[in-house]
Amino acid sequence: VDVVESGGGSVQPGGSLRLSCGASGLRLEYFAVGWFRQVPGKERERVSCITRNDDSINYADSVKGRFAISRDNAKNMVYLQMNSLKPEDTAEYYCAVGPSFICTAGYGVEHWGKGTLVTVSP
C-alpha cells in the first residue's frame, strides 16, 4: 500500500491550494481519510477527517470555514481544499488512512503518506 500526497507549495496569505491524497493497493472509499499537519517542534495536528461512508466530517477549529475535505471515489482520491490561507497554516501536510475512529481518536492510522509542504508567506 502506498499513500501519496500532492498539491503543496508556496502561496501568499489569502491564497488557496488544493491538496490531493491518492492510494495504490487500497480503495480509499472503504476507509476514513484524514489530513494532518505538523510544524517542526510541535505535535501533529488533525486538520480534517472524513469517515468511511462520509457520514461524518470534522475540522480543526483553526480551519473551519476555510478548508473543505472531499472524496472522488472514481479517482480513488481525497482532497483538501484550502482557502484564505494564513501564515499559521504553514506546515507539512499528511494524508492518513484507517478505520473511522481515526477521525476522533488519537491513534489507529494504518497508512501515512510522506507529506507535502505548504508554505504561506507574503
Side-chain angles (χ1 to χ4, degrees), residues 46-121:
R46 187 175 62 245
V47 175
S48 182
C49 197
I50 183 168
T51 55
R52 180 181 174 178
N53 298 323
D54 301 355
D55 55 354
S56 180
I57 292 175
N58 62 39
Y59 298 96
D61 287 343
S62 58
V63 307
K64 281 181 181 176
R66 300 189 297 121
F67 290 14
I69 192 170
S70 62
R71 294 181 184 269
D72 185 334
N73 292 334
K75 295 183 178 179
N76 199 30
M77 299 287 286
V78 172
Y79 304 103
L80 184 69
Q81 179 67 43
M82 307 187 297
N83 299 325
S84 302
L85 283 161
K86 304 176 181 180
E88 52 263 43
D89 295 317
T90 296
E92 191 82 18
Y93 283 72
Y94 298 89
C95 180
V97 180
S100 286
F101 65 77
I102 70 168
C103 292
T104 53
Y107 60 89
V109 173
E110 297 178 353
H111 307 286
W112 288 98
K114 293 182 179 179
T116 186
L117 181 63
V118 172
T119 303
V120 185
S121 64

Side-chain angles (χ1 to χ4, degrees), residues 29-42:
E29 62 189 297
Y30 299 133
F31 294 87
V33 179
W35 284 99
F36 291 71
R37 67 186 180 186
Q38 189 168 24
V39 175
K42 294 189 176 181

